[in-house]
Amino acid sequence: MSLGIAGMGWVTPLGSSLAGVWERLLGGDKAAVEAISSPLGPACNVLPVPAGATAQAPTHPRLRRSSVISRFAAVAGLAALEDAKLQLDADTAARTALVFAVSNGGVIYTRRFYHDIVESGSQAASPLLFPETVFNAPASHLAAILGISGASYTLVGDGAVGILALKMAEDLMRNETFDHCLVVGAEEADWLLCDAYRKWRLLRSAPPIEPFQTPPRGTILSEGAGAILLSRNGSIQLEKIAAGTNFWRQREAGDAVQKIFAELCQAETDLVVASANGTFVDAAEHAAIKRNCPGSKVLAIKGALGESVGASSLWQTICGAQSLRTQLVPADLLYREKGKASPPAGQLRHAVVSVCGLNQQVAGLRLAKN
Amino acid sequence: MPEISPKNRPADTARVAVVATGIVSPLGFGLGETFTALREGRDCVSPVTRFSVEHCRCKTAGQVSDVRLTRAGEPQLRSERLHRVAQMMILALGEALAQAPGFQPELSVVGTTSGGMTFGEEYYRGLKGSRVSTRSAASLIANYTPQKPVMDAQEAFGLSAPCQIIANACASGTNAIGHAFECVRSGRYQRVLTGGYDALSELVFVGFDSLQASTPERCRPFDRERSGLVLGEGAAILLLENFDSARDRGAKIVAEITGYGLSTDNHHLTQPNPSGSGPRQAMEGALQSAGIAAAEIDYINAHGTATPFNDAAEGKAIAELFDGVAVSSTKGMMGHSLGAAGAIEAVISVLALQNQFLPPNINFRNGDAGLDLNIIEKNSQPGRLRSVLSNSFGFGGTNASVIIRAIKG
């Protein structure tokens, strides 16, 4: 079965226009950090979505009380449909599936909801907040906005969850019931996440994020959403999706990533869009790239966009597809080749997206330009 | 009653066998205890002991015994880092694998709503200084994530299948089974591990209490005076395999999954469309997927949470689609285990088919006026079951139904 990318959209710390953010990445822009205060410790730096980036969010009643993660998802999802020039009516919505990928989910409302319980007792718990803490609340809002009344799935996982969602979409598209599948990954930043990742020894306090550095100095969390509309055709094909594997201890990450690369890099690979984020997973990915596709260009976008966990692998896939579409690569984000000119037209035909999550999940996919 | 036109299963699709199941729930540890509790209509709801419910309306839940969990004999369960829901998963998977030795899944599709949420709670309370954390913060963070119990269970048995963890609220377990079914049916996968899990947590318990969705009284699904749900917990596993492959290798096939339907009800984030259109669409989809008529369903294990709106919508849809089919919700016995519920109830459905009995809907007295449902009241009953339909519906408007068929002989 042929599976292609029909449309893409994103909300990132560099904005929410597909072409605009891509231009900024090509121009060498990196998202600016902003300190968010924590009531329980030092302030932490994150890469937030700028306020104007969700200005075009629909004025749907479902978004009135929702957390920002749902707004990110709505803006990205609608942008992907617009990019594909697909307008959903009752018939097309019935033939469109939604697969939502998330890692931390609606952490802001969850933290607020539980904070009230801890501080003031269960009688203070808000019935307005609780439904928004449920992992599938953003997917439910997006389905309501789009009028999708059939298949809607929310997948949870670590940074690999976006690829796992694309894999699930591929499986769903085997069913002739569906013409399209919209895959959305989203995440929102909060001080509680920063505290957790800091205690997990995965964060650094200030930029830059240095992918593939030894020793790893940590990453910076970001937020936003990525959306990819799949159809049975499209100028960018998903040639292969490696459903992933798991590792149990950090030292086993290398074998798990190697397995993914061995599966995806059997044919010529021009570009690897890496998940390197300045943490322990970079070494595993680096070794696998060196062994399986040593001649490929390696793009590490988290140096500019940060680690948004549930959204990141969708962003990586969008960057891979944009590289193939535009035949340009953000030179400043190329590992080992910083400052070199972007490749001339016609050289990029295949890209591999790899993800080594921070909590034991590994996955990847291979894109091809038609 | 409207006709669902039977359509034959498409010729290019595979049959899907259930080759093993495993379960841990308030009803008991394992299939044997679960069957006994179901047959006896045992009420396994008890006062909550895990956290303070002093200021909650509801003070009861279906609970899995910690003492039994840690004494269950599996050496893998003794790790300090494991969340108790991971322990439940290990026990359920262990029971299933004991029936299907050497089963190597190519994919795991499992449902949950909140995974190891209590580790997150412990972490947050540690930050606030109101409770000293007994584990390191890093361990709590690494092990609270919702996908972790599946990874832990796989690790315990040396499995490394990719994990798709579905979090479709209370429909998660049935959505997981349904998607796993479609993966095998499509021919893309030969063997898929599926199921669901969830453990009681303060955050979720208080959340349902804040919505006044949980009851201070007994849980009475489909009763006219029902006043809400009680929560539960547990884990259940089903091992699915291409039917021909399982038969050819001489595996014991305990049941066959034949249909799956789902829908998304956009009426409201937490309330179903009162017309019952969401549940109806899911059940119609399952019947069409199975290629059978409504009259071929002999029992429905209903979602039946005992909330006024949910039971009214589901009951209306069942009454419109089916003609006197036997219906029960088993949540009155064990509570609503959220992401685990669909998997637990699928295993209960398999037990009902294997043992040809109808599990009871305990605490039921009188049905809604004008709603003619054939509720299996109070006690289990013998039955002649060919196919069973199991429903799960959740927040976000997620609705899912699966159909499971008996294996003759």
Side-chain angles (χ1 to χ4, degrees):
Chain A
M1 182 189 68
S2 170
L3 195 62
I5 293 176
M8 300 182 288
W10 56 12
V11 173
T12 78
L14 286 177
S16 57
S17 153
L18 180 63
V21 173
W22 186 242
E23 281 297 319
R24 291 191 66 181
L25 290 171
L26 289 171
D29 281 2
K30 292 194 165 99
V33 294
E34 187 177 303
I36 52 176
S37 61
S38 157
L40 298 172
C44 55
N45 281 320
V46 299
L47 304 175
V49 168
T54 54
Q56 68 272 43
T59 53
H60 193 280
R62 281 291 197 103
L63 296 182
R64 201 179 298 145
R65 285 198 295 253
S66 69
S67 192
V68 290
I69 188 173
S70 296
R71 293 176 176 275
F72 297 157
V75 171
L78 288 167
L81 296 179
E82 189 179 333
D83 185 44
K85 298 181 174 53
L86 177 67
Q87 281 196 319
L88 291 184
D89 54 26
D91 288 340
T92 50
R95 296 184 64 79
T96 301
L98 174 64
V99 181
F100 205 98
V102 72
S103 186
N104 299 301
V107 64
I108 296 173
Y109 280 12
T110 304
R111 189 249 306 150
R112 279 177 54 188
F113 180 77
Y114 194 61
H115 174 84
D116 290 345
I117 296 171
V118 172
E119 287 295 301
S120 309
S122 52
Q123 68 274 26
S126 163
L128 296 180
L129 288 180
F130 177 63
E132 298 288 343
T133 70
V134 181
F135 275 118
N136 70 326
S140 171
H141 295 322
L142 184 54
I145 291 165
L146 299 176
I148 290 174
S149 59
S152 171
Y153 290 97
T154 293
L155 288 189
V156 291
D158 67 8
V161 70
I163 304 293
L164 294 170
L166 286 163
K167 182 66 182 174
M168 185 183 211
E170 183 187 42
D171 289 334
L172 287 172
M173 291 288 284
R174 299 284 292 190
N175 186 336
E176 295 292 328
T177 305
F178 301 115
D179 294 328
H180 296 95
C181 185
L182 180 63
V183 180
V184 181
E187 216 70 78
E188 61 186 20
D190 185 65
W191 66 260
L192 185 61
L193 284 182
C194 293
D195 185 87
Y197 279 78
R198 185 160 49 210
K199 290 199 169 93
W200 211 357
R201 298 177 184 173
L202 297 170
L203 282 198
R204 69 182 302 163
S205 56
I209 300 170
E210 299 172 290
F212 298 119
Q213 277 294 317
T214 307
R217 296 193 176 94
T219 194
I220 295 175
L221 294 177
S222 62
E223 62 180 4
I228 294 176
L229 184 72
L230 300 178
S231 71
R232 293 195 175 78
N233 45 47
S235 62
I236 307 298
Q237 294 289 307
L238 271 80
E239 272 193 342
K240 189 175 185 63
I241 305 176
T245 186
N246 316 305
F247 61 93
W248 314 120
R249 282 159 280 278
Q250 286 191 9
R251 65 175 181 274
E252 296 167 359
D255 289 342
V257 180
Q258 162 61 24
K259 194 173 160 188
I260 296 298
F261 271 87
E263 189 175 343
L264 295 174
C265 293
Q266 288 173 353
E268 189 179 337
T269 303
D270 305 307
L271 176 70
V272 174
V273 187
S275 67
N277 59 9
T279 69
F280 73 93
V281 299
D282 297 14
E285 196 172 34
H286 184 266
I289 292 169
K290 197 173 167 186
R291 181 167 168 187
N292 294 280
C293 38
S296 306
K297 293 181 181 299
V298 181
L299 183 63
I301 65 164
K302 290 176 187 172
L305 296 176
E307 175 58 81
S308 63
V309 202
S312 277
S313 54
L314 274 299
W315 289 352
Q316 287 173 248
T317 307
I318 291 170
C319 284
Q322 281 291 85
S323 297
L324 299 182
R325 257 186 186 181
T326 63
Q327 293 293 299
L328 294 169
V329 178
D332 274 4
L333 300 175
L334 283 175
Y335 174 60
R336 291 179 305 205
E337 297 181 57
K338 283 185 180 161
K340 286 191 179 177
S342 299
Q347 280 194 356
L348 295 175
R349 297 204 60 79
H350 297 97
V352 162
V353 174
S354 74
V355 183
C356 184
L358 296 170
N359 206 358
Q360 304 179 334
Q361 293 181 298
V362 178
L365 58 82
R366 182 178 172 86
L367 300 170
K369 185 179 190 308
N370 275 343
Chain B
M1 185 179 69
E3 281 295 311
I4 297 288
S5 48
K7 292 194 303 187
N8 290 329
R9 177 175 56 86
D12 60 346
T13 58
R15 292 174 68 186
V16 182
V18 181
V19 296
T21 60
I23 187 166
V24 173
S25 83
L27 296 184
F29 284 49
L31 297 165
E33 289 184 17
T34 304
F35 172 58
T36 302
L38 288 166
R39 198 180 49 195
E40 294 175 356
R42 199 179 295 161
D43 185 342
C44 297
V45 172
S46 57
V48 172
T49 55
R50 300 200 63 76
F51 41 81
S52 170
V53 292
E54 186 185 358
H55 297 294
C56 293
R57 294 170 72 240
C58 176
K59 300 185 189 303
T60 60
Q63 296 162 96
V64 171
S65 160
D66 279 350
V67 174
R68 291 200 62 192
L69 265 183
T70 50
R71 288 184 185 166
E74 301 277 350
Q76 305 98 316
L77 300 182
R78 297 194 191 117
S79 170
E80 267 290 302
R81 68 168 178 82
L82 283 181
H83 192 277
R84 55 193 295 276
V85 77
Q87 295 175 323
M88 294 179 209
M89 278 291 285
I90 290 170
L91 285 171
L93 181 56
E95 182 180 28
L97 288 173
Q99 299 155 50
F103 186 92
Q104 286 286 338
E106 299 149 84
L107 178 69
S108 290
V109 187
V110 188
T112 189
T113 66
S114 53
M117 177 61 79
T118 59
F119 276 3
E121 294 172 358
E122 193 176 335
Y123 170 76
Y124 192 79
R125 284 187 178 274
L127 282 180
K128 299 292 294 177
S130 57
R131 188 186 296 169
V132 178
S133 173
T134 54
R135 300 171 186 83
S136 78
S139 174
L140 289 171
I141 295 158
N143 291 291
Y144 108 96
T145 56
Q147 72 274 17
K148 198 65 170 54
V150 184
M151 318 280 276
D152 289 334
Q154 289 207 155
E155 183 184 15
F157 297 100
L159 306 178
S160 60
C163 300
Q164 292 179 348
I165 312 300
I166 294 176
N168 271 16
C170 304
S172 302
T174 301
N175 277 131
I177 294 167
H179 183 64
F181 156 73
E182 290 197 330
C183 284
V184 178
R185 189 187 221 197
S186 71
R188 293 197 89 187
Y189 301 86
Q190 292 290 301
R191 290 168 303 281
V192 178
L193 184 163
T194 187
Y197 57 97
D198 257 324
L200 279 178
S201 72
E202 183 183 30
L203 188 151
V204 175
F205 190 93
V206 173
F208 277 97
D209 201 72
S210 74
L211 291 169
Q212 301 195 21
S214 47
T215 180
E217 300 162 3
R218 283 182 183 276
C219 173
R220 302 182 188 281
F222 296 109
D223 188 90
R224 188 180 302 169
E225 294 172 6
R226 64 188 178 273
S227 51
L229 56 79
V230 297
L231 288 174
E233 60 183 357
I237 293 290
L238 297 91
L239 303 182
L240 308 189
E241 184 169 353
N242 176 291
F243 195 98
D244 294 339
S245 153
R247 188 181 52 198
D248 290 349
R249 70 179 179 85
K252 183 181 180 190
I253 297 172
V254 297
E256 179 180 1
I257 300 184
T258 58
Y260 170 49
L262 77 170
S263 70
T264 302
D265 177 353
N266 293 320
H267 175 72
H268 188 272
L269 184 57
T270 59
Q271 289 175 13
N273 188 320
S275 71
S277 59
R280 182 178 169 136
Q281 187 184 334
M283 289 188 281
E284 283 177 335
L287 290 168
Q288 285 169 358
S289 165
I292 62 172
E296 292 175 67
I297 298 293
D298 296 314
Y299 165 61
I300 295 178
N301 187 294
H303 185 56
T305 55
T307 57
F309 291 136
N310 177 81
D311 286 13
E314 183 179 18
K316 186 171 188 294
I318 290 172
E320 285 174 358
L321 268 176
F322 298 90
D323 188 8
V325 66
V327 177
S328 70
S329 163
T330 40
K331 290 185 174 77
M333 280 182 275
M334 59 197 298
H336 183 2
S337 54
L338 307 176
I344 286 173
E345 289 158 16
V347 172
I348 288 172
S349 298
V350 171
L351 285 171
L353 288 164
Q354 286 182 301
N355 297 283
Q356 293 291 294
F357 82 112
L358 298 163
N361 190 120
I362 68 167
N363 302 328
F364 179 86
R365 295 172 301 198
N366 300 293
D368 284 358
L371 191 60
D372 187 19
L373 294 177
N374 176 15
I375 300 291
I376 306 303
E377 297 179 39
K378 299 182 181 72
N379 301 310
S380 62
Q381 296 175 14
R384 290 172 61 85
L385 310 183
R386 296 161 296 172
S387 287
V388 169
L389 184 145
S390 180
N391 282 335
S392 294
F393 313 128
F395 277 8
T398 54
N399 302 300
S401 305
V402 291
I403 295 175
I404 308 173
R405 184 158 68 189
I407 298 295
K408 287 178 185 163

